[in-house]
């Protein structure tokens, strides 16, 4: 990754909303940076503060306190200039429905200084990149949710931004298109040295494309690390067994006696256990006369980490800046 200065620096950013009974703090003094050519994941349970953070970076919300430096400029003093270099796509934001796809992108391109044949070429290039060229003359109101998402992605990339904010961009896409979108994002990042802030509830997707991940909870950043390092904080693997009913009951009793979390799902017994203890556990199953017809083991994933932080408080062990 590049050693250049960060393209985005957020320092001690807070956002408080007034409520009937006082106030609610959606973002509580968060600080982070985004490096050139980096895809930075922004994860957290619903209500963690992710959307509020993105809205402030888009200037659709005003921060209560803190600073943002974007491409070497004070974002709050030079919003218009800074936003000329920012692209945005979300599965939850719509385009003007009374315009066609082509008209939407034409207006957007002109606002960013594109015109003439260059604008036409950009529209064609990025609609084709997201498999949206065939419905360019349709009104937005006629499109499916997945089609709208693909147009939003074309809109985000077509103006040659230096930073792109992607808020769950593949949420409405079918798996094949979503996979093509991920490939395109990685390609553009590599070729254009794009910096991307990326939110998603698809942990496999985050693991695949993000260089680093910020984890938010209750308005604070509680972790800042690579996906692999976050996964390595989870010590429990999953042991899955296929058993007949008698052995299943015996295995559940044995797991409970060792205080191992377990559940039965689709005829499989799932037992959570530390990887270092798996061999001993299997030997003890045999010693207790418990047999099984099939077994497989899965190591922890980012999904396991996400589920843990959704229910527990995790204290960051590293400097979050």
């Amino acid at each position: 990754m590049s050693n250049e200065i960060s393209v985005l620096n957020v320092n001690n950013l807070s956002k408080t909303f007034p409520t009937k009974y006082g106030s609610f703090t959606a973002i509580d003094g968060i600080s982070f940076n985004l490096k050139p050519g980096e895809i930075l994941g922004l994860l957290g349970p619903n209500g963690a503060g992710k959307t509020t953070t993105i809205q402030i970076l888009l200037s659709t919300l005003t921060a209560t306190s803190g600073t943002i430096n974007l491409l070497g400029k004070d974002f709050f003093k030079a919003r218009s200039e800074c936003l000329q270099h920012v692209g945005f796509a979300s599965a939850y934001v719509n385009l003007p429905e009374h315009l066609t796809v082509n008209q939407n992108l034409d207006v957007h391109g002109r606002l960013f200084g594109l015109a003439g044949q260059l604008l036409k070429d950009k529209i064609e290039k990025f609609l084709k990149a997201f498999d949206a060229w065939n419905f360019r003359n349709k009104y937005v109101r006629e499109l499916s949710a997945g089609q709208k998402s693909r147009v939003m992605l074309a809109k985000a990339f077509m103006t040659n931004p230096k930073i792109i904010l992607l808020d769950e961009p593949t949420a409405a896409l079918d798996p094949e298109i979503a996979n093509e979108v991920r490939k395109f994002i990685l390609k553009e990042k590599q070729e254009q040295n794009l910096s991307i802030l990326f939110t998603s509830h698809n942990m496999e997707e985050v693991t695949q494309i993000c260089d680093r991940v910020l984890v938010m909870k209750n308005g604070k950043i509680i972790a800042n690390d690579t996906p692999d390092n976050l996964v390595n904080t989870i010590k429990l693997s999953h042991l899955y067994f296929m058993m007949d009913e008698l052995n299943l009951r015996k295995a559940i009793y044995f797991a409970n006696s060792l205080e191992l979390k377990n559940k039965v799902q689709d005829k499989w017994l799932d037992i959570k256990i530390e990887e270092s203890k798996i061999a001993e556990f299997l030997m003890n199953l045999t010693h207790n006369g418990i047999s099984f017809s099939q077994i497989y083991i899965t190591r922890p994933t980012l999904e396991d980490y996400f589920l843990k932080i959704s229910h527990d408080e995790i204290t960051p062990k590293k400097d979050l800046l």
Side-chain angles (χ1 to χ4, degrees):
M1 191 176 296
S2 172
N3 292 320
E4 297 174 62
I5 190 170
S6 299
V7 296
L8 172 66
N9 283 285
V10 173
N11 185 46
N12 204 28
L13 192 69
S14 294
K15 177 61 180 178
T16 301
F17 294 95
T19 69
K20 183 177 179 180
Y21 303 102
S23 63
F24 168 71
T25 300
I27 299 176
D28 191 3
I30 65 172
S31 299
F32 65 90
N33 63 358
L34 176 63
K35 302 171 187 176
E38 179 182 41
I39 300 181
L40 179 63
L42 185 60
L43 304 184
N46 290 333
K50 305 183 301 296
T51 298
T52 302
T53 301
I54 288 179
Q55 287 178 336
I56 291 174
L57 292 172
L58 289 169
S59 198
T60 55
L61 276 180
T62 303
T64 302
S65 61
T67 62
I68 299 173
N69 186 285
L70 195 150
L71 299 172
K73 299 184 182 298
D74 184 328
F75 180 70
F76 298 137
K77 292 180 179 179
R79 282 185 175 90
S80 296
E81 184 179 354
C82 288
L83 289 171
Q84 286 291 314
H85 303 288
V86 177
F88 169 69
S90 171
Y92 309 111
V93 175
N94 213 343
L95 297 163
E97 295 196 340
H98 63 286
L99 298 179
T100 66
V101 168
N102 193 76
Q103 288 170 339
N104 264 284
L105 297 190
D106 183 80
V107 170
H108 180 69
R110 291 176 188 276
L111 290 173
F112 280 76
L114 299 175
Q117 191 60 45
L118 175 61
L119 175 56
K120 293 178 181 178
D121 291 344
K122 289 279 188 181
I123 292 173
E124 181 175 356
K125 174 185 175 181
F126 287 98
L127 284 180
K128 286 183 175 178
F130 293 106
D131 197 23
W133 180 247
N134 289 341
F135 49 83
R136 64 191 180 279
N137 293 319
K138 280 192 173 184
Y139 289 99
V140 169
R141 62 174 177 267
E142 300 173 330
L143 304 182
S144 68
Q147 289 173 331
K148 291 176 183 177
S149 291
R150 283 142 61 187
V151 175
M152 283 291 292
L153 283 161
K155 175 176 172 282
F157 282 88
M158 65 174 280
T159 55
N160 295 329
K162 293 186 171 80
I163 297 173
I164 297 186
L165 310 178
L166 298 178
D167 186 15
E168 298 194 46
T170 64
L173 304 180
D174 64 55
E176 183 180 357
I177 294 293
N179 187 53
E180 290 303 314
V181 167
R182 287 189 288 270
K183 288 180 181 178
F184 179 86
I185 290 171
L186 289 170
K187 175 174 172 288
E188 287 293 298
K189 168 209 164 181
Q190 184 70 28
E191 294 181 355
Q192 308 298 330
N193 201 37
L194 283 177
S195 301
I196 300 172
L197 186 63
F198 187 92
T199 79
S200 176
H201 280 99
N202 183 333
M203 296 300 107
E204 184 178 347
E205 176 174 76
V206 172
T207 302
Q208 179 183 344
I209 75 168
C210 291
D211 302 296
R212 184 165 55 99
V213 174
L214 303 176
V215 183
M216 294 188 70
K217 187 171 184 180
N218 299 327
K220 295 180 179 289
I221 294 175
I222 62 171
N224 176 356
D225 215 327
T226 65
D228 284 345
N229 285 344
L230 293 177
V231 169
N232 287 338
T233 66
I234 305 298
K235 303 301 182 184
L236 297 181
S237 296
H238 288 263
L239 271 176
Y240 294 92
F241 298 97
M242 176 70 77
M243 300 171 166
D244 61 35
E245 188 174 341
L246 175 61
N247 281 289
L248 180 62
R249 290 200 300 268
K250 290 164 66 177
I252 292 173
Y253 179 83
F254 181 58
N256 287 338
S257 72
L258 298 176
E259 298 183 345
L260 296 175
K261 291 185 178 180
N262 62 87
K263 64 180 179 180
V264 177
Q265 187 172 7
D266 297 329
K267 299 182 181 180
W268 287 87
L269 173 61
D270 172 11
I271 297 176
K272 291 184 178 181
I273 185 171
E274 291 184 28
E275 191 170 8
S276 61
K277 297 180 178 179
I278 290 176
E280 180 184 1
F281 180 79
L282 293 176
M283 289 176 60
N284 286 330
L285 279 185
T286 302
H287 181 74
N288 284 275
I290 302 171
S291 60
F292 49 86
S293 57
Q294 296 182 57
I295 180 176
Y296 71 92
I297 303 169
T298 63
R299 296 191 68 250
T301 64
L302 197 61
E303 182 80 22
D304 294 305
Y305 177 86
F306 186 80
L307 290 173
K308 179 173 176 57
I309 66 101
S310 295
H311 296 94
D312 300 335
E313 288 294 342
I314 296 179
T315 302
K317 297 181 179 178
K318 294 188 176 183
D319 181 1
L320 295 181
L321 295 179

